[in-house]
Amino acid sequence: QVQLVESGGGLVQAGDSLRLSCAASGGTVSRYSMGWFRQAPGKEREFVGTITRSGFTTSYAASVKGRFTISRDNAKNTIYLQMNSLKSEDTAVYYCVAKTGWDGSSRYDEYDYWGQGTQVTVSS
């Protein structure tokens, strides 16, 4: 069973950049499609983006497309979420997720493993 640990969250100003990391243990990320979700206070869990098991394909929510980039480094057993041009509405707890299979998904219930989350706060 793989464990996922996110890091890199913090308090930034609007327009700043931040990179989140998700380190896996107990398994190798190369066996999973990976992704990121987020949840803001009082709001539903929201899909952010996903990267396929091969790493060749990524997909993003419309709200972050063009600003956020997901990448993976299988040698380090880690995936990343590069967030640029941050907005106050990006404030949320960000969760790293993993699922078996080659393809990612925007559905949270298709993911088998979740990290504990890391807080990102963007001040305007």
Side-chain angles (χ1 to χ4, degrees), residues 19-123:
R19 189 178 78 159
L20 305 184
S21 299
C22 171
S25 60
T28 56
V29 295
S30 62
R31 296 186 177 185
Y32 302 94
S33 296
M34 308 288 292
W36 293 89
F37 283 76
R38 67 186 182 185
Q39 189 166 21
K43 293 189 176 181
E44 296 289 321
R45 189 165 16 193
E46 178 187 19
F47 168 74
V48 173
T50 185
I51 185 166
T52 57
R53 182 176 165 182
S54 68
F56 292 147
T57 304
T58 55
S59 63
Y60 301 94
S63 58
V64 306
K65 195 171 184 179
R67 299 188 297 122
F68 289 13
T69 303
I70 297 175
S71 60
R72 62 192 303 156
D73 186 337
N74 290 341
K76 295 184 177 180
N77 225 24
T78 300
I79 71 164
Y80 304 96
L81 179 64
Q82 177 68 43
M83 305 184 292
N84 299 329
S85 303
L86 283 161
K87 305 175 182 180
S88 57
E89 50 263 45
D90 295 320
T91 295
V93 176
Y94 283 72
Y95 298 92
C96 175
V97 295
K99 64 182 289 291
T100 55
W102 288 96
D103 297 326
S105 174
S106 62
R107 292 185 52 169
Y108 73 89
D109 58 353
E110 292 193 8
Y111 287 88
D112 304 298
Y113 305 103
W114 289 71
Q116 84 289 348
T118 185
Q119 177 71 46
V120 172
T121 303
V122 184
S123 64

